[in-house]
């Protein structure tokens, strides 16, 4: 299995779909923290879900899913950009049993999906859209079903399966059919496609999702239908942290505070939570940041955030 997304069309059913598989990107993201198994698996599901969602939206920017939980998982953030880069982290408290359910992991929480468009040329910031999603579903896929039923006019559903090697998912969405004056969904086509994909919900089906390549899996499900597979596109683990952004963060701290840290600790040390990249800035760096009056600092936007 590799790291890619594959779009497809079930032409006779008026349903479009995406299949995503994360392998080395998923294994690299797991290494950034010592995740308990149950946290790891839900993080993998979230990475697949955000990749599927990013591919289904036509946008230029990044898509962020954030779950703020109560306990034991207090926070989960995953991000997918329109160019195929993904990253994610989760934070938890105490020991976590392997068999905790989705609801037991997050307790009472909120889930927010944000679309951040890249700025247009000349603009400081791109447009942002946020949606709150109920965490009442019994799984992440069920929460996404609620989200789609509120935000999409078209039937949309996803199926997810994760182990420590691979994280895989399938998304189906009905297409509007122009057979009358209005566009309507082909409900028979949707029901047929959805019923077959639902065989991926049980343990045997999840095993198939985790082990079969897209062509084999889709052929197994839809061999009687008109399946058209489009070109696949790659997905990779990539963090958007950088020396520039770190220097921007230090600039926003202010010269007095930055110098105090250097005096106390010898240098300013910052670890990126998403990729564990270590940034160390000494007295010379700090002096440069605050004496530089050329355009170098302009590239940091003086941002208060490392990410
Ligand atoms: Zn990073």
């Amino acid at each position: 299995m590799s790291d890619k997304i594959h779009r497809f069309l079930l032409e006779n059913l008026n349903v479009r779909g995406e299949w995503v598989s994360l392998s080395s990107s998923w294994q690299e993201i797991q290494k950034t923290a010592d995740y308990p198994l149950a946290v790891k698996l839900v993080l993998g599901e979230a990475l697949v879900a955000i990749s599927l969602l990013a591919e289904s939206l036509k946008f230029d920017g990044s898509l962020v899913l954030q779950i703020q939980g109560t306990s034991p998982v207090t926070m989960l953030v995953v991000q997918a950009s329109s160019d195929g880069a993904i990253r994610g982290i989760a934070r938890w408290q105490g020991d976590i049993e392997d068999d905790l359910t989705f609801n037991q992991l997050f307790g009472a929480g909120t889930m927010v999906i944000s679309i951040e468009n890249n700025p247009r040329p000349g603009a400081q910031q791109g447009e942002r859209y946020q949606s709150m999603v109920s965490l009442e579903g019994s799984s992440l896929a069920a929460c996404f079903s609620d989200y789609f039923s509120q935000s999409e006019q078209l039937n949309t559903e996803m199926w997810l399966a994760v182990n420590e090697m691979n994280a895989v998912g399938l998304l189906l969405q009905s297409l509007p059919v122009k057979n009358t004056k209005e566009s309507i969904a082909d409900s028979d086509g949707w029901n047929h496609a959805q019923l077959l994909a639902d065989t991926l919900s049980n343990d045997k089906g999840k095993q198939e999702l985790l082990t079969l390549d897209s062509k084999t899996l889709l052929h197994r499900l839809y061999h009687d239908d008109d399946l058209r597979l489009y070109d696949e596109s790659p997905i990779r683990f990539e963090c958007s942290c950088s020396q520039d952004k770190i220097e921007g963060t230090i600039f926003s701290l202010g010269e007095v505070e930055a110098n105090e840290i250097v005096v106390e600790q010898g240098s300013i040390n910052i670890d990126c939570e998403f990729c564990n990249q270590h940034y160390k800035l000494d007295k010379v760096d700090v002096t440069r940041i605050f004496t530089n009056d050329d355009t170098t600092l302009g590239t940091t936007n003086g941002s208060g955030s490392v990410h």
Side-chain angles (χ1 to χ4, degrees):
M1 297 290 256
S2 54
D3 300 79
K4 61 192 174 193
I5 194 151
H6 214 153
R7 298 171 75 105
F8 60 91
L9 181 68
L10 298 164
E11 213 160 0
N12 62 320
L13 305 177
N14 292 302
V15 169
R16 59 172 287 274
E18 298 160 17
W19 170 93
V20 68
S21 155
L22 308 176
S23 183
S24 57
S25 59
W26 165 225
Q27 290 165 31
E28 278 183 71
I29 289 169
Q30 290 173 54
K31 284 185 209 150
T32 55
D34 190 14
Y35 289 113
L37 183 68
V39 180
K40 194 183 281 187
L41 298 183
V42 76
L43 178 63
E45 287 193 347
L47 285 160
V48 173
I50 203 76
S51 304
L52 288 167
L53 190 58
E55 182 70 18
S56 72
L57 299 170
K58 294 272 174 271
F59 78 120
D60 172 29
S62 73
L63 189 62
V64 177
L65 162 68
Q66 177 154 13
I67 303 178
Q68 208 79 46
T70 45
S71 181
V73 180
T74 50
M75 195 262 293
L76 181 149
V77 187
V78 289
Q79 184 179 31
S81 67
S82 45
D83 68 354
I86 55 165
R87 62 178 190 164
I89 51 166
R91 290 285 172 260
W92 71 97
Q93 297 168 333
D95 293 333
I96 296 185
E97 308 266 333
D98 289 351
D99 58 355
L100 286 197
T101 63
F102 177 75
N103 303 105
Q104 288 169 332
L105 283 171
F106 291 100
T110 54
M111 176 159 130
V112 177
I113 294 173
S114 324
I115 302 172
E116 299 176 8
N117 284 301
N118 286 333
R120 295 214 176 98
Q124 279 266 314
Q125 265 197 337
E127 290 165 305
R128 289 174 184 219
Y129 308 91
Q130 275 201 337
S131 325
M132 291 277 286
V133 185
S134 155
L135 261 194
E136 282 162 22
S138 60
S139 66
L140 191 67
C143 293
F144 267 93
S145 289
D146 292 343
Y147 165 72
F148 288 129
S149 66
Q150 286 162 24
S151 66
E152 292 279 344
Q153 255 114 64
L154 301 163
N155 296 311
T156 312
E157 195 163 341
M158 55 171 77
W159 292 263
L160 309 169
V162 179
N163 63 21
E164 288 175 299
M165 297 299 291
N166 299 301
V168 187
L170 185 81
L171 176 142
L172 294 181
Q173 183 168 60
S174 58
L175 291 168
V177 191
K178 289 200 171 110
N179 60 351
T180 60
K181 282 179 186 166
E182 296 168 63
S183 292
I184 54 154
D186 173 354
S187 56
D188 288 345
W190 170 257
N191 290 338
H192 176 76
Q194 200 259 6
L195 202 69
L196 290 171
D198 236 6
T199 59
L200 302 172
S201 306
N202 60 30
D203 287 347
K204 182 170 167 279
K206 286 191 178 188
Q207 208 49 40
E208 286 186 354
L209 251 183
L210 285 167
T211 49
L212 300 179
D213 64 73
S214 52
K215 282 191 188 119
T216 314
L217 179 86
L218 293 171
H219 183 73
R220 197 173 276 202
L221 291 175
Y222 300 113
H223 49 87
D224 287 335
D225 298 300
D226 297 335
L227 169 67
R228 191 191 298 179
L229 273 169
Y230 296 105
D231 287 344
E232 54 199 37
S233 45
I235 295 181
R236 65 191 187 281
F237 168 47
E238 185 181 283
C239 193
S240 52
C241 69
S242 68
Q243 184 78 21
D244 263 4
K245 287 184 182 173
I246 295 290
E247 293 190 6
T249 306
I250 293 169
F251 186 73
S252 66
L253 269 182
E255 191 167 6
V256 174
E257 198 170 329
N259 275 316
E260 272 174 16
I261 300 172
V262 174
V263 170
E264 279 170 25
Q265 299 172 17
S267 57
I268 299 177
N269 292 278
I270 297 172
D271 289 312
C272 173
E273 293 177 312
F274 284 93
C275 67
N276 286 344
Q277 172 75 40
H278 180 70
Y279 294 93
K280 180 176 180 175
L281 294 103
D282 61 16
K283 177 71 188 149
V284 176
D285 296 316
V286 171
T287 308
R288 175 176 50 78
I289 290 168
F290 289 100
T291 52
N292 228 344
D293 57 0
D294 64 16
T295 52
T296 322
L297 279 174
T299 61
T300 66
N301 296 326
S303 160
S305 161
V306 176
H307 309 292

